[in-house]
Amino acid sequence: MKRILLLTLCTVLAALAGVDAQLLWKVEGKGLQKPSYLLGTHHFIPASFIDSIAGAKEAIDNCDVVYGEIDLSDIDPVQTRKIMTEFVVAPPDSTLTDVMTSQQLDSLNVFLKNISSDDYKLEPGNLIMFKPTFVNQAIIQLISMSMPVGEGEIMDGNIDIYVQEYAQIRNKEIKGLETFRQQCQLLYGQPIHKQVDDLMQTLRDPHSLVDDDIELKEAYKHGDIEKLEEMFRDPEKLSAADRKILLDNRNADWIETIEQTMPRQSMFIAVGLGHLLTDTGLIKMLRRRGYTVEAMK
């Protein structure tokens, strides 16, 4: 769960250039007139890394429509703030002081004091009104800001954003597989006790978050699909319950849109890599439905 929260934040770390990352797949067969493409992204890998993914830009150029998890060009700032407020602000009877024990609150206050700095501060009093998941995200973002950036690395946005900006310049149609509201519901709509449990897990073991993220980035940058599959299957990193909510159920919805669209329009689909891998990922789902899905090298 912590990894999924981390991947929703806006802070990014750069990647090494020039790695022959095999993160792009071509979808053909079953009567398709033109191939479609699946790109597995990492929301904390920078835009420049796309130059290391052979054929990615050419695939966008050749497709008819680009799909992301959401259509970023359709996000209205005013409406976005309204939706965020609706989901992240706790009801009056469910603030942190209502849903956390005094001991848990003390642990939170001590943790925030220890990780805050002159540049980045989280004041406990300012967080009381928010849901535990939002507080967890704020802590994870603060932790991510302290992670080292490699020599020569440049923070320049992420791949998901770049793909849609590049597509827009190429006058491609851009769509989303889901809406911003749906994503907020996934993150902030879980039971409060589950949100508290996840927050306390972060407080107890923040270093595992950093270690997992470094391991995931390195595997991604080297296109180590075997290692990535292993990580996404690990119940210690993502529980079966979280997997079902955050990956499997969404994949089941997305596959219907994908299969309905591909016969009419060649698609370039850029979504988090976790949605492509394992037996419930989009790659194997498409293969089971009769399509040929091959990695582009």
Side-chain angles (χ1 to χ4, degrees):
M1 181 63 177
K2 288 187 292 184
R3 179 181 297 113
I4 299 297
L5 292 176
L6 180 61
L7 296 182
T8 66
L9 303 174
C10 297
T11 306
V12 295
L13 291 175
L16 298 171
V19 178
D20 184 20
Q22 298 171 13
L23 303 164
L24 179 68
W25 286 262
K26 180 188 288 188
V27 183
E28 297 179 296
K30 208 175 177 181
L32 296 181
Q33 298 301 306
K34 294 175 61 178
S36 287
Y37 302 89
L38 298 171
L39 174 66
T41 70
H42 183 309
H43 306 320
F44 281 73
I45 294 291
S48 58
F49 188 77
I50 198 168
D51 293 328
S52 301
I53 305 175
K57 290 182 180 179
E58 291 84 352
I60 297 174
D61 290 339
N62 293 331
C63 77
D64 299 317
V65 58
V66 170
Y67 270 81
E69 294 182 21
I70 60 175
D71 178 357
L72 297 171
S73 67
D74 193 42
I75 293 180
D76 174 74
V78 174
Q79 187 64 19
T80 298
R81 284 194 296 270
K82 181 179 178 182
I83 294 172
M84 281 292 294
T85 300
E86 175 187 340
F87 281 99
V88 305
V89 175
D93 62 348
S94 299
T95 63
L96 293 185
T97 53
D98 297 304
V99 302
M100 298 178 71
T101 66
S102 58
Q103 184 176 8
Q104 288 173 330
L105 287 169
D106 288 343
S107 297
L108 175 61
N109 291 339
V110 170
F111 187 90
L112 292 178
K113 181 178 180 180
N114 289 338
I115 67 169
S116 293
S117 65
D118 292 337
D119 295 325
Y120 304 105
K121 290 186 178 180
L122 289 176
E123 299 290 345
N126 295 334
L127 298 174
I128 293 298
M129 64 184 291
F130 294 107
K131 291 181 179 179
T133 292
F134 180 80
V135 178
N136 202 7
Q137 283 184 313
I139 289 172
I140 292 171
Q141 184 172 14
L142 196 57
I143 293 172
S144 71
M145 288 176 178
S146 68
M147 294 174 64
V149 176
E151 183 178 354
E153 295 181 345
I154 301 174
M155 300 171 68
D156 61 348
N158 71 19
I159 295 175
D160 302 84
I161 295 171
Y162 178 84
V163 165
Q164 295 196 27
E165 289 179 343
Y166 182 86
Q168 193 169 36
I169 293 172
R170 295 296 192 273
N171 295 315
K172 301 294 182 180
E173 184 179 8
I174 301 172
K175 291 187 176 182
L177 291 164
E178 61 193 13
T179 66
F180 180 68
R181 172 177 287 277
Q182 288 174 312
Q183 289 201 338
C184 285
Q185 177 63 40
L186 286 168
L187 287 173
Y188 305 112
Q190 297 200 44
I192 290 295
H193 69 83
K194 174 69 165 58
Q195 296 187 36
V196 172
D197 289 345
D198 288 336
L199 171 57
M200 296 309 298
Q201 176 60 30
T202 296
L203 301 185
R204 285 190 296 268
D205 191 13
H207 297 294
S208 69
L209 170 71
V210 176
D211 293 342
D212 286 351
D213 188 55
I214 291 173
E215 185 180 16
L216 182 64
K217 283 188 176 77
E218 287 304 307
Y220 182 91
K221 288 186 290 186
H222 291 88
D224 188 346
I225 299 303
E226 183 177 344
K227 179 63 176 177
L228 291 163
E229 283 258 10
E230 176 186 323
M231 294 185 71
F232 279 107
R233 291 179 188 276
D234 187 348
E236 294 297 319
K237 300 181 187 299
L238 183 65
S239 71
D242 284 337
R243 167 180 291 284
K244 183 174 181 179
I245 293 172
L246 298 169
L247 295 177
D248 297 350
N249 290 349
R250 296 164 76 193
N251 289 348
D253 290 336
W254 296 355
I255 194 69
E256 300 305 326
T257 298
I258 292 170
E259 192 162 31
Q260 290 171 13
T261 305
M262 287 193 301
R264 297 181 286 105
Q265 293 178 292
S266 173
M267 304 174 72
F268 185 95
I269 303 158
V271 295
L273 185 66
H275 289 285
L276 304 187
L277 305 180
T278 76
D279 293 337
T280 56
L282 294 176
I283 291 173
K284 289 190 177 178
M285 292 178 77
L286 285 166
R287 286 173 177 166
R288 285 195 294 269
R289 295 187 178 210
Y291 298 94
T292 300
V293 185
E294 299 293 343
M296 296 184 63
K297 302 179 182 181

